[in-house]
Amino acid sequence: MDVKAIRELFPILNQEVNGHPLVYLDSAATSQKPLPVIEALDEYYRQYNSNVHRGVHTLGTKATDGYEGAREKVRKFINASSTEEIIFTRGTTTSINTVAVSYGRANVHEGDEIVITYMEHHSNIIPWQQLAKQTGATLKYIPLQEDGTISLDDVRNTVTPKTKIVSMMHVSNVLGTINPIKEVTKIAHENGAIMVVDGAQSTPHMKVDVQDLDCDFYTFSGHKMCAPTGIGILYGKKHLLEQMEPVEFGGEMIDFVGLYESTWKELPWKFEGGTPIIAGAIGLGAAIDFLEEIGLEAIKEHEHRLAAYALEKMSTIDGITIYGPKEADKRAGLVTFNIADVHPHDVATVLDTEGIAVRAGHHCAQPLMKWLNVSATARASFYLYNSEEDIDKLVEALIKTKEYFSDVF
Ligand code: PLP
């Protein structure tokens, strides 16, 4: 992969921050956007901005073609069997909430179980807490192993015939762990439960095949994979989506409206009430074209190399604790860490003065922070535009940070 050429397609990276060339290591929070995506948005707004599905005029037809064309690109990207299974949402959070509200309230009852893990993002915890409260179901957690992975034995011990829903992240935004979704799905199905996957941190970085995984729902966000904010995907198996009621009612999603009764459009539109996120979908389509041209396999390999390099270099820093699996092949392209006696917010602040953007905090994973026995951590996350040089700058700045704090205190 030619990282130098790729970087040139990301205009935002070509700037100085606090007098230093920007080193952007916060792609797990949101990725930067390449020129083809920026240009697709610019073209839509300059040349064919129009509402979809309704008008018979030329701009409306072009906008509809762009919007529905993006749906087909998403279908192919995750290998769904039909575009009826691809619903545009605002992002992972909205997608998971849609499943919890629509599928959950109809199918989960008192005494049933919902199973998640300790490593989940708040977006994959709270919708299930709410569902459990509303239905009288029990929320259960699959424990984590010492190295921040889950064991299939623990999955088998937690999922029972009472379990109706298993929901799990594909890749952890804190530990970097890659979870064995295919195997967990099998265990969920053997117990009569459905499998929901939070793919927010997987789809940007690796090839996902929903038919091969056999999961029932797969959710992700465009903004972490080079697309704009405000667009995301809910994939669901057609036979499940068909049984489910919409969660938002209004324009665009109806077939017929009477005074007291209405009927819905067919899939996928019954879940897309109101004017949809047209520019966002078109931007997501452009992002998928961009990522596929480079190749998901090449992106994965590149990030794997960066993670291995970062683990090796960062572990030489005195007093550093790195969380998650120690072996690079068990994890994705991010490193979460703490430096002894320095608060992670201070680490991030000092790094910012060097032009290096990392994230500090609980990363929307407070139960996981509790499990790690910390209140916060710092996280450096990599994407296709990062290089070994970025990691060298990070390590150098971390050593400086450590020296600065040991001199001051
Ligand atoms: N799940 C994981 C693992 C995430 O990392 C994130 C975002 O950071 C989300 C869910 C929520 O995504 P969004 O805020 O785009 O809905």
Side-chain angles (χ1 to χ4, degrees):
M1 238 172 68
D2 184 351
V3 177
K4 202 159 167 276
I6 288 173
R7 286 179 73 87
E8 278 167 17
L9 295 172
F10 289 82
I12 202 169
L13 297 177
N14 186 22
Q15 64 171 301
E16 292 205 340
V17 169
N18 297 321
H20 299 272
L22 169 65
V23 176
Y24 187 75
L25 298 176
D26 196 19
S27 296
T30 198
S31 74
Q32 297 304 348
K33 320 302 174 200
L35 280 174
V37 171
I38 296 169
E39 283 161 4
L41 295 177
D42 186 78
E43 188 192 357
Y44 167 70
Y45 280 122
R46 282 177 194 269
Q47 297 181 19
Y48 63 102
N49 171 53
S50 189
N51 214 326
V52 293
H53 298 145
R54 336 179 160 160
V56 283
H57 60 75
T58 305
L59 295 196
T61 307
K62 201 166 172 207
T64 304
D65 289 350
Y67 182 70
E68 292 303 331
R71 198 189 304 276
E72 168 59 15
K73 286 178 189 184
V74 174
R75 183 202 68 73
K76 265 173 65 190
F77 183 65
I78 58 168
N79 192 32
S81 56
S82 155
T83 49
E84 293 169 294
E85 299 182 320
I86 305 296
I87 294 154
F88 286 121
T89 67
R90 275 185 50 229
T92 310
T93 305
T94 313
S95 301
I96 296 174
N97 274 278
T98 301
V99 179
V101 169
S102 177
Y103 181 89
R105 289 195 197 154
N107 293 284
V108 176
H109 305 288
E110 195 172 347
D112 290 342
E113 296 168 352
I114 304 159
V115 171
I116 60 176
T117 77
Y118 276 97
M119 69 173 85
E120 301 307 319
H121 187 281
H122 296 163
S123 296
N124 199 27
I125 299 174
I126 310 165
W128 308 118
Q129 285 178 350
Q130 292 298 102
L131 179 63
K133 278 189 196 150
Q134 286 152 0
T135 58
T138 306
L139 182 59
K140 288 168 73 181
Y141 285 81
I142 298 166
L144 305 188
Q145 314 226 85
E146 225 7 62
D147 68 349
T149 59
I150 56 161
S151 91
L152 290 177
D153 280 343
D154 283 334
V155 177
R156 281 188 204 96
N157 290 335
T158 315
V159 178
T160 75
K162 284 189 184 169
T163 308
K164 288 289 179 295
I165 297 175
V166 178
S167 191
M168 187 179 287
M169 53 186 11
H170 199 162
V171 172
S172 164
N173 61 317
V174 177
L175 303 166
T177 318
I178 303 169
N179 283 323
I181 294 298
K182 193 171 171 174
E183 291 76 6
V184 176
T185 299
K186 196 159 174 280
I187 296 168
H189 288 169
E190 281 164 5
N191 285 277
I194 60 144
M195 182 74 196
V196 183
V197 185
D198 169 353
Q201 298 293 345
S202 52
T203 41
H205 309 285
M206 60 201 246
K207 182 74 195 143
V208 168
D209 181 334
V210 289
Q211 291 191 72
D212 180 54
L213 294 173
D214 197 28
C215 56
D216 299 284
F217 295 97
Y218 201 95
T219 61
F220 58 101
S221 302
H223 70 95
K224 294 184 197 281
M225 49 180 283
C226 296
T229 48
I231 185 75
I233 295 296
L234 168 60
Y235 156 82
K237 281 185 180 164
K238 186 177 166 190
H239 74 99
L240 294 174
L241 291 173
E242 270 173 345
Q243 296 160 23
M244 286 160 55
E245 281 288 299
V247 292
E248 286 189 332
F249 302 90
E252 297 268 350
M253 51 74 70
I254 51 88
D255 180 29
F256 165 80
V257 178
L259 286 181
Y260 301 104
E261 289 295 331
S262 302
T263 56
W264 325 137
K265 269 188 185 160
E266 64 271 37
L267 287 174
W269 303 291
K270 76 170 179 181
F271 288 104
E272 295 177 4
T275 297
I277 314 142
I278 307 164
I282 290 168
L284 177 58
I288 288 175
D289 287 345
F290 172 77
L291 292 174
E292 286 185 334
E293 202 177 314
I294 293 163
L296 268 296
E297 218 23 71
I299 294 171
K300 187 176 159 203
E301 254 175 51
H302 172 71
E303 290 175 12
H304 176 72
R305 233 184 6 258
L306 289 184
Y309 186 74
L311 283 176
E312 184 199 321
K313 292 276 164 174
M314 289 170 76
S315 37
T316 61
I317 300 171
D318 202 26
I320 198 167
T321 304
I322 293 175
Y323 302 97
K326 295 286 169 282
E327 304 89 343
D329 59 346
K330 282 196 188 162
R331 54 150 70 229
L334 59 88
V335 180
T336 295
F337 61 95
N338 266 325
I339 294 188
D341 305 324
V342 190
H343 193 280
H345 281 118
D346 292 333
V347 171
T349 306
V350 177
L351 291 181
D352 184 53
T353 64
E354 302 278 324
I356 302 173
V358 299
R359 186 142 294 246
H362 54 59
H363 314 288
C364 296
Q366 288 185 26
L368 175 58
M369 293 297 118
K370 191 159 182 255
W371 183 83
L372 293 172
N373 209 12
V374 293
S375 60
T377 64
R379 177 187 71 193
S381 54
F382 319 121
Y383 207 10
L384 70 170
Y385 36 68
N386 292 117
S387 63
E388 274 89 351
E389 199 187 320
D390 292 338
I391 292 165
D392 290 341
K393 285 182 182 162
L394 170 71
V395 171
E396 210 178 293
L398 284 174
I399 292 169
K400 251 189 180 169
T401 308
K402 207 179 133 37
E403 281 164 4
Y404 171 77
F405 279 94
S406 57
D407 285 352
V408 172
F409 301 105

